[in-house]
Amino acid sequence: MVTLETKLGSLKLKHPIINASGTFDVLEADKVLQADLFNEFPFAAYVPKTVTMQPRTGNEPPRLYETAAGLLNSIGLANKGIESFIAEDLPRLASLPVPVIASIAGERTDDYGRCSEMLAGREEVAGIELNVSCPNVELDGKALGCDPGRTERATALAQAATSKFLIVKLTPNVTDIVELAQAAASGGADCVSVINTVHGMALDPWTLKPVLGHTTGGLSGPAIKPVALRAVYMVSHAIDLPVIGMGGVTTAQDVLEFLAAGATAVAVGTASFRDPLPGARLAGELVDLMEVRGIDSVKELVGRA
Amino acid sequence: MVTLETKLGSLKLKHPIINASGTFDVLEADKVLQADLFNEFPFAAYVPKTVTMQPRTGNEPPRLYETAAGLLNSIGLANKGIESFIAEDLPRLASLPVPVIASIAGERTDDYGRCSEMLAGREEVAGIELNVSCPNVELDGKALGCDPGRTERATALAQAATSKFLIVKLTPNVTDIVELAQAAASGGADCVSVINTVHGMALDPWTLKPVLGHTTGGLSGPAIKPVALRAVYMVSHAIDLPVIGMGGVTTAQDVLEFLAAGATAVAVGTASFRDPLPGARLAGELVDLMEVRGIDSVKELVGRA
Amino acid sequence: MGDLPIPASLHDCPVVESRPVGSYRLVSFVAREVAALARPGQFLMVRAAGYSLDPLLPRPLGVHDIDSDLVKILIEPVGRGTMSLASLRVGDRLSVLGPLGNGFSLTGAGPALIVGGGIGAAPLTLLARALAERGRHTECLLGFKTRGQAVAAELFRNADVEVFTEDGSMGSEGLISEPLPECLRRMEAAEIFACGPDPMLAAVARTARDCGASAQVSVAAHMACGVGACQGCVIKTRDGYRRACSDGPVFPAEEIAW
Amino acid sequence: MGDLPIPASLHDCPVVESRPVGSYRLVSFVAREVAALARPGQFLMVRAAGYSLDPLLPRPLGVHDIDSDLVKILIEPVGRGTMSLASLRVGDRLSVLGPLGNGFSLTGAGPALIVGGGIGAAPLTLLARALAERGRHTECLLGFKTRGQAVAAELFRNADVEVFTEDGSMGSEGLISEPLPECLRRMEAAEIFACGPDPMLAAVARTARDCGASAQVSVAAHMACGVGACQGCVIKTRDGYRRACSDGPVFPAEEIAW
Ligand SMILES: Cc1cc2nc3c(=O)[nH]c(=O)nc-3n(C[C@H](O)[C@H](O)[C@H](O)COP(=O)(O)OP(=O)(O)OC[C@H]3O[C@@H](n4cnc5c(N)ncnc54)[C@H](O)[C@@H]3O)c2cc1C
Ligand SMILES: Cc1cc2nc3c(=O)[nH]c(=O)nc-3n(C[C@H](O)[C@H](O)[C@H](O)COP(=O)(O)OP(=O)(O)OC[C@H]3O[C@@H](n4cnc5c(N)ncnc54)[C@H](O)[C@@H]3O)c2cc1C
Ligand SMILES: Cc1cc2nc3c(=O)[nH]c(=O)nc-3n(C[C@H](O)[C@H](O)[C@H](O)COP(=O)(O)O)c2cc1C
Ligand SMILES: Cc1cc2nc3c(=O)[nH]c(=O)nc-3n(C[C@H](O)[C@H](O)[C@H](O)COP(=O)(O)O)c2cc1C
Ligand code: FES
Ligand code: FES
């Protein structure tokens, strides 16, 4: 008998598949899709889009372009701001049958502490993901997530502000991602998410000018799966925290591989654009793949590569 | 009237498309393929596989695995060593109708100087590419190509040893590729190649162990095109040297885009595995694409993004 | 625009017909639920079902026509996504999410002018029929680059259609922005419905304002999710960025910041 | 192994037949030059022609059979590359590079035993015919997991074939390594030709050595270029790494470092 139940640090998950921030919006999906999302939520936890202290309109369009087996985006953290998120969205998310993991990003290092503090008292929030790695914004001058010292400090500020389950989301756009994972661990993270999107760019086939309004963007989808799998493998071997693996997860076979590479849970992003509610389907298929391999639990699977 | 003739620094090329090191072997192809390669060479220059001071057997197989729109390899610079290359291969390459650009890598920083010196007096060699960026070997402890100081020193040693056209091939596996390009420029490079493969990994779908004998490998092919295009764009805007663009170039449209992004010439690697002699075909198609856009020369095209 | 949103879902649909219509391709597939629910101006996110991860994502395509259980789309092959969809054959399967978006609002009254540019004509056939069914006097102005595209005008069947081509190879020569004001006045049209390239939509918006007519325009944008989740498809409006997929694709012309 | 290499080139080939043979798929396509040149044991690099960049690279597949202008391949769908090739239909086009590799050397004499394991049987039909044409007494031992694969043995037509399945669902039950020594002795076979999974090939090599027969084995490896350029397909031999594509895929059994 295969069981998919798993523990991500202090969070109990009914299966190891969650959504990646910015790619699935339950409040919108509930309006548009034929599905009873507040009763049968397809993922084992819900991660809303990243919010920041101030509302952000995001980058100039176009913001999307498809590349070979990949997607470039330059959304630029368009969001309503953490205050509206807390006032309008959180109460509605309270009735979800799964843990909610808020995602926050800072314009300055201090913001990670301030946002965490604002969420600290909210019961609806089970965990907080610090997005220190969005490639589409230059908050705080240069990317904070490329600098171990500042990543550690942002984490420590959040850690001091809240006792919630704290996840730091790492960027692959660095010489050594392990160094950043170690910085997050030193700062007091409970978990790391690996990986955010990979720096990329596309030109319009006809005009030969950058397609994206923001010139460059972040690459996601199956194209980056090998990059993500390596990062998960390296990070999970180097630090003692649980890892949420993501980057191109599209099939149950991908879930299996990320878990084997060392992830304790796996997030689905771009694949939600091929199938808007992949969580439950992938979990079902994962059971089959584990069964034929004689693997009974996620625990047995994690890190077996 | 479209002309494809172009100058890559001091090298005259009949069109802007060359081969990427390690992916096309004219001596082998001449044995196997129905083509008169020594008279109608399909690329505008020939770059043989990287050679090192000592022969290398390369990494444990398997060395290849296909990923979504990409290829992982961990060849590990298998080569016969620079002495055999000079003695056996160079004399045969002398009759090629295009410039030969030797590719070298060092076990230690000094090797770049020593190998360059060995090639300095050879007339068959028009240029030398310093491969400081192979992700599949750990020559000299840690990857030299991730360290600006050592990249500059390796370049300076080669520059001191030879007056040949000197190209430094950069890795994308760094936080800031521009910094490395600047280091190569300071060291006296005449040109930079952008990019070598991206760090990645794959698991065997059944055993869930790393597929590659070397565990990790380098990702190439269309999957990395957005990463390469961005790198070319950033580097060509930041330094004053000509750039050879590569990473996923498969169609004439890709060639067009790399040139527009700022490359002066473009190298084809993985796409040679879909079509073993793509150079001449791509050049022909490139003319058509330039014609409909009213672009008459490569010069007009380079950097127009 | 449009009425209450109708729940969309993912459908696995067999292709039953694929034939060229000039330089476009008309593809019909079985999709009972979509056929029952879709309204004029709504769209679908469509991709080939199968092993390949390239093209990766579905492409937004307007619902061109409905014939009992069959849904029809009209494809202009402009890039790898649309080319691969255009190369599918009978028996191949599509993955289809929809119907999506608000569609055109049909609550207005009075004579209606439909304006289509290029492949923007695709979703307007359904609209022409719906307006006629509501007893509104409806005329269509369709503009194309050249004859190869303009033959698609035949898909409007019984509708009152006038065709323009830029090179004069079919119908009258010129852009539709030229006859537009005159046509509006002659018809005493109260409302314009338009879909096509941005410059055309902008011209429609200007003319409508000048002539005191109202206008609904269906805009285009690159999309990923199609359901309002990714913030990727935004266009500039007077209220700031709005999503083409879930706030649109149909907007009152005066809301768009051209 | 084999004789002088024969020039290979890239061919664009229409599929004219695709049908299941048990759990395998038999695909025939028009490729006049390949049909004229290919020898037993040579292989092709095959991919679907088209817009998609995934699967990206061709897959190495043995030449299974030749029928005037037609070349036939037998595919076991094990991953995305072989699955997408197995899903192609009549009218689809293949991009085919070949013929490649050395193939089996046919210069020997005396009774010959052909040993195939699973999909490794695919290239052996052509070999069986070639040996028979040379007047050599030839028998085939074919081993499969189960009946669904073993029905492929029918493709050997007139050849003298004995089938084994691991589950006994067709032919005799067991691995072919068991009857192998006895069969060699009975036939007084001078030479073994084998293709199949590594453990089977290793058993063949051992048995051949023990019985004083010579053996040629066709090995498998992941390939990218197929023409000796990338050093990606190496296998371990007594002389160090050698390329399966251009030094092989057929090697004298005693050269392989198992
Ligand atoms: C609501 C809506 C309805 C549509 N209805 C139809 C229809 O009925 N028939 C039809 O043929 N097309 C329709 N389109 C346009 C179609 O979605 C695009 O042509 C398609 O996405 C292009 O994808 P591609 O891979 O073929 O081209 P790409 O290779 O992605 O790009 C080729 C060119 O098309 C442009 N492009 C890419 N994606 C889009 C996009 N989503 N919208 C506009 N331009 C794009 C690129 O900038 C580029 O210049 C519709 C678009 C929207 C938003
Ligand atoms: C000379 C030669 C002749 C061959 N002839 C045939 C034939 O006639 N019919 C046939 O069906 N197959 C044949 N094969 C095997 C076939 O090439 C592989 O099954 C195929 O490459 C797998 O690709 P995939 O994308 O389907 O699987 P992947 O998704 O790439 O992998 C699926 C599984 O197959 C393994 N695999 C992947 N590539 C290869 C490879 N090149 N060789 C061996 N294992 C691999 C992987 O490790 C994995 O376990 C031959 C191989 C060689 C080298
Ligand atoms: C359209 C889009 C928007 C995204 N927005 C966010 C975001 O707001 N916050 C964040 O942490 N990551 C964001 N990401 C990154 C994803 O969460 C994920 O890390 C990445 O896309 C890799 O996973 P995938 O390949 O499955 O998409 C976004 C990705 C996409 C494609
Ligand atoms: C099989 C293989 C072998 C390679 N060997 C070398 C090499 O020896 N030296 C080198 O500088 N780059 C080597 N590369 C990298 C390519 O030259 C090129 O930089 C990279 O593959 C990106 O281009 P592509 O996507 O067109 O393949 C190799 C790449 C592949 C796929
Ligand atoms: S396409 Fe995702 S919000 Fe519109
Ligand atoms: S596949 Fe490239 S050397 Fe054999």
Side-chain angles (χ1 to χ4, degrees):
Chain A
M1 259 300 295
V2 170
T3 167
L4 292 184
E5 278 170 30
T6 185
K7 286 192 64 177
L8 183 66
S10 56
L11 301 185
K12 270 200 189 130
L13 304 182
K14 66 185 174 200
H15 61 68
I17 305 162
I18 72 175
N19 73 293
S21 177
T23 60
F24 175 70
D25 183 330
V26 68
L27 301 176
E28 291 296 328
D30 192 53
K31 275 192 269 175
V32 176
L33 298 177
Q34 240 171 42
D36 185 11
L37 294 174
F38 279 83
N39 285 305
E40 286 171 43
F41 193 74
F43 295 104
Y46 177 57
V47 189
K49 171 91 187 156
T50 300
V51 292
T52 49
M53 276 312 272
Q54 300 303 322
R56 292 175 53 90
T57 54
N59 290 327
E60 181 90 355
R63 296 178 174 180
L64 295 170
Y65 197 71
E66 186 175 313
T67 64
L71 173 67
L72 273 175
N73 89 78
S74 59
I75 309 297
L77 293 187
N79 79 92
K80 52 167 69 170
I82 191 166
E83 280 180 23
S84 306
F85 170 73
I86 291 175
E88 297 163 17
D89 295 0
L90 268 191
R92 295 168 66 196
L93 299 178
S95 55
L96 281 177
V98 299
V100 172
I101 298 170
S103 170
I104 60 175
E107 316 251 341
R108 307 176 312 130
T109 311
D110 293 355
D111 287 355
Y112 288 93
R114 292 166 66 204
C115 287
S116 298
E117 208 179 316
M118 291 171 76
L119 294 167
R122 302 297 306 214
E123 261 179 38
E124 307 95 325
V125 174
I128 301 176
E129 184 169 82
L130 310 183
N131 176 1
V132 296
S133 51
C134 181
N136 297 316
V137 288
E138 283 211 0
L139 304 174
D140 202 2
K142 262 272 157 198
L144 187 150
C146 295
D147 180 332
R150 292 173 57 209
T151 296
E152 181 174 342
R153 206 164 84 81
T155 312
L157 289 171
Q159 162 63 33
T162 178
S163 58
K164 301 227 184 261
F165 188 66
L166 207 64
I167 306 164
V168 177
K169 184 160 177 179
L170 303 176
T171 175
N173 302 305
V174 291
T175 308
D176 183 8
I177 194 170
V178 165
E179 203 186 350
L180 277 303
Q182 284 160 340
S186 309
D190 298 309
C191 179
V192 291
S193 277
V194 174
I195 57 176
N196 212 316
T197 54
V198 176
H199 275 315
M201 175 173 168
L203 300 186
D204 183 277
W206 178 251
T207 66
L208 302 177
K209 297 285 171 196
V211 175
L212 300 176
H214 189 62
T215 306
T216 64
L219 184 64
S220 62
I224 67 166
K225 181 185 147 191
V227 177
L229 214 48
R230 174 183 177 274
V232 167
Y233 184 84
M234 305 283 283
V235 168
S236 65
H237 280 71
I239 67 171
D240 244 352
L241 302 180
V243 172
I244 305 174
M246 65 194 77
V249 175
T250 307
T251 63
Q253 176 69 39
D254 295 333
V255 175
L256 198 68
E257 293 175 16
F258 273 83
L259 295 173
T264 298
V266 162
V268 179
T270 302
S272 295
F273 306 149
R274 285 169 61 92
D275 171 353
L277 302 170
R281 179 178 55 72
L282 291 179
E285 292 168 9
L286 181 61
V287 169
D288 297 343
L289 295 181
M290 288 169 66
E291 246 163 23
V292 292
R293 285 171 180 76
I295 302 170
D296 287 338
S297 69
V298 171
K299 201 168 177 176
E300 246 178 88
L301 185 50
V302 173
R304 68 152 53 195
Chain B
M1 257 303 294
V2 171
T3 166
L4 292 185
E5 278 169 31
T6 186
K7 285 192 63 176
L8 183 67
S10 56
L11 301 186
K12 269 200 191 132
L13 305 182
K14 65 185 173 198
H15 62 68
I17 305 162
I18 72 174
N19 73 294
S21 177
T23 60
F24 176 69
D25 184 330
V26 67
L27 301 177
E28 291 296 328
D30 192 51
K31 276 191 269 175
V32 176
L33 297 176
Q34 241 170 45
D36 185 11
L37 294 174
F38 278 83
N39 285 307
E40 288 170 43
F41 192 75
F43 296 103
Y46 177 57
V47 189
K49 171 92 187 154
T50 299
V51 292
T52 49
M53 277 312 274
Q54 300 302 322
R56 293 176 52 90
T57 54
N59 291 326
E60 181 91 354
R63 295 178 174 180
L64 295 169
Y65 197 71
E66 185 175 315
T67 64
L71 172 67
L72 274 174
N73 90 78
S74 59
I75 310 298
L77 294 187
N79 80 90
K80 53 168 69 170
I82 192 166
E83 279 180 23
S84 306
F85 170 74
I86 291 175
E88 297 162 17
D89 295 0
L90 269 190
R92 296 167 66 196
L93 299 178
S95 54
L96 281 177
V98 299
V100 172
I101 298 171
S103 169
I104 60 175
E107 316 250 339
R108 306 174 314 128
T109 311
D110 293 354
D111 288 355
Y112 289 92
R114 291 166 64 206
C115 287
S116 298
E117 208 179 314
M118 292 170 75
L119 295 166
R122 302 297 305 213
E123 261 179 39
E124 307 94 325
V125 174
I128 301 176
E129 183 169 80
L130 309 183
N131 176 1
V132 295
S133 53
C134 181
N136 297 317
V137 286
E138 283 210 358
L139 304 175
D140 202 3
K142 263 265 161 210
L144 187 150
C146 296
D147 181 332
R150 291 172 56 211
T151 296
E152 180 175 340
R153 207 163 83 80
T155 312
L157 289 173
Q159 162 65 33
T162 178
S163 58
K164 300 227 185 261
F165 188 67
L166 207 63
I167 306 164
V168 177
K169 183 161 177 179
L170 303 177
T171 174
N173 301 305
V174 292
T175 308
D176 183 9
I177 194 169
V178 165
E179 203 186 348
L180 276 303
Q182 284 160 340
S186 311
D190 298 308
C191 179
V192 291
S193 276
V194 174
I195 57 177
N196 211 315
T197 55
V198 177
H199 275 314
M201 175 173 167
L203 300 187
D204 183 277
W206 178 251
T207 65
L208 302 178
K209 298 283 169 197
V211 175
L212 300 176
H214 189 61
T215 306
T216 65
L219 184 64
S220 63
I224 68 165
K225 181 186 147 190
V227 176
L229 215 47
R230 174 183 176 275
V232 167
Y233 185 83
M234 305 283 284
V235 167
S236 65
H237 280 70
I239 67 171
D240 244 352
L241 302 180
V243 173
I244 305 174
M246 65 194 77
V249 175
T250 309
T251 63
Q253 176 69 37
D254 295 332
V255 175
L256 199 66
E257 294 175 17
F258 273 82
L259 296 173
T264 298
V266 162
V268 179
T270 302
S272 296
F273 307 148
R274 285 168 62 91
D275 171 352
L277 301 170
R281 179 178 54 74
L282 291 179
E285 292 168 9
L286 181 60
V287 169
D288 297 342
L289 294 181
M290 287 169 67
E291 247 163 23
V292 291
R293 285 170 181 77
I295 302 170
D296 287 338
S297 69
V298 171
K299 201 168 178 177
E300 247 179 87
L301 184 51
V302 173
R304 66 152 54 195
Chain C
M1 296 273 95
D3 313 302
L4 269 185
I6 289 170
S9 51
L10 196 65
H11 308 278
D12 176 43
C13 308
V15 172
V16 296
E17 191 194 3
S18 172
R19 64 177 175 90
V21 174
S23 53
Y24 300 147
R25 192 109 194 152
L26 184 71
V27 173
S28 310
F29 52 88
V30 183
R32 203 150 62 93
E33 219 175 329
V34 175
L37 295 175
R39 292 160 323 173
Q42 285 196 296
F43 70 95
L44 309 170
M45 293 294 281
V46 184
R47 64 178 172 88
Y51 300 107
S52 180
L53 294 171
D54 179 65
L56 181 65
L57 300 183
R59 296 296 189 273
L61 296 171
V63 177
H64 165 64
D65 207 349
I66 293 173
D67 182 356
S68 72
D69 281 3
L70 294 188
V71 174
K72 301 183 182 210
I73 51 184
L74 189 67
I75 304 171
E76 179 177 38
V78 296
R80 285 193 307 129
T82 45
M83 280 186 207
S84 78
L85 287 171
S87 71
L88 292 178
R89 296 182 296 155
V90 173
D92 288 331
R93 302 190 80 88
L94 296 172
S95 163
V96 175
L97 178 69
L100 297 167
N102 53 6
F104 292 102
S105 166
L106 302 178
T107 54
L113 177 60
I114 291 180
V115 180
I119 191 65
L124 299 176
T125 40
L126 210 57
L127 174 70
R129 203 177 322 135
L131 289 171
E133 280 166 9
R134 278 165 178 72
R136 290 174 69 175
H137 171 70
T138 307
E139 293 184 23
C140 307
L141 279 183
L142 303 181
F144 299 94
K145 280 234 159 58
T146 183
R147 181 186 185 81
Q149 309 175 322
V151 294
E154 79 194 17
L155 299 168
F156 280 72
R157 287 180 271 175
N158 307 331
D160 181 348
V161 173
E162 210 185 330
V163 169
F164 288 77
T165 52
E166 290 179 31
D167 61 1
S169 56
M170 192 171 148
S172 315
E173 182 169 337
L175 295 172
I176 24 182
S177 46
E178 292 155 25
L180 192 58
E182 164 55 23
C183 178
L184 262 182
R185 266 187 292 274
R186 176 179 49 72
M187 284 179 66
E188 300 182 2
E191 208 173 5
I192 311 183
F193 299 85
C195 184
D198 273 359
M200 188 203 91
L201 297 184
V204 165
R206 261 194 321 273
T207 312
R209 196 191 51 211
D210 294 349
C211 301
S214 75
Q216 302 181 30
V217 297
S218 180
V219 301
H222 297 218
M223 291 185 184
C225 72
V227 298
C230 74
Q231 310 286 341
C233 63
V234 297
I235 56 157
K236 273 187 198 149
T237 74
R238 293 232 216 102
D239 299 336
Y241 290 135
R242 296 186 68 197
R243 294 162 300 191
C245 68
S246 54
D247 299 321
V250 181
F251 292 90
E254 68 273 16
E255 286 188 11
I256 311 286
W258 300 105
Chain D
M1 297 272 97
D3 312 303
L4 268 186
I6 289 168
S9 51
L10 196 65
H11 308 278
D12 176 42
C13 308
V15 172
V16 296
E17 191 192 5
S18 172
R19 65 176 174 92
V21 174
S23 53
Y24 300 147
R25 191 111 195 149
L26 185 70
V27 173
S28 310
F29 52 88
V30 182
R32 204 152 62 92
E33 217 175 331
V34 175
L37 294 175
R39 291 161 320 174
Q42 286 197 297
F43 69 97
L44 309 170
M45 294 294 281
V46 184
R47 65 178 171 89
Y51 300 107
S52 181
L53 294 170
D54 178 66
L56 181 66
L57 300 182
R59 297 294 190 273
L61 296 170
V63 177
H64 165 64
D65 207 350
I66 293 173
D67 182 356
S68 73
D69 281 4
L70 295 187
V71 174
K72 301 184 182 211
I73 50 183
L74 189 67
I75 303 172
E76 178 176 37
V78 295
R80 285 192 310 126
T82 45
M83 281 185 207
S84 77
L85 288 171
S87 71
L88 292 178
R89 294 182 297 156
V90 173
D92 288 331
R93 301 190 81 88
L94 296 172
S95 162
V96 175
L97 178 69
L100 297 167
N102 53 6
F104 292 102
S105 166
L106 302 178
T107 53
L113 176 60
I114 291 180
V115 180
I119 191 64
L124 299 177
T125 40
L126 209 57
L127 174 70
R129 204 176 324 135
L131 289 171
E133 280 167 8
R134 278 165 179 71
R136 290 175 69 177
H137 171 70
T138 307
E139 293 184 25
C140 306
L141 279 184
L142 302 180
F144 299 93
K145 279 232 160 55
T146 183
R147 180 184 185 83
Q149 309 174 324
V151 294
E154 81 195 16
L155 299 168
F156 280 72
R157 288 179 273 175
N158 308 332
D160 181 348
V161 173
E162 208 184 334
V163 170
F164 288 77
T165 53
E166 290 179 30
D167 63 0
S169 57
M170 193 172 147
S172 316
E173 182 170 337
L175 295 171
I176 25 181
S177 47
E178 291 154 27
L180 193 58
E182 164 55 23
C183 179
L184 263 182
R185 264 186 293 273
R186 178 178 49 71
M187 285 180 66
E188 300 181 1
E191 207 172 6
I192 311 182
F193 300 84
C195 184
D198 272 0
M200 188 204 90
L201 297 184
V204 166
R206 260 194 321 274
T207 312
R209 196 193 49 212
D210 294 350
C211 301
S214 76
Q216 303 181 30
V217 297
S218 179
V219 301
H222 297 218
M223 291 185 184
C225 71
V227 298
C230 74
Q231 310 285 341
C233 62
V234 297
I235 56 158
K236 274 188 200 150
T237 74
R238 293 230 217 106
D239 298 337
Y241 290 134
R242 295 186 69 197
R243 293 162 301 191
C245 69
S246 54
D247 299 320
V250 180
F251 292 90
E254 67 274 15
E255 286 188 10
I256 311 285
W258 300 104

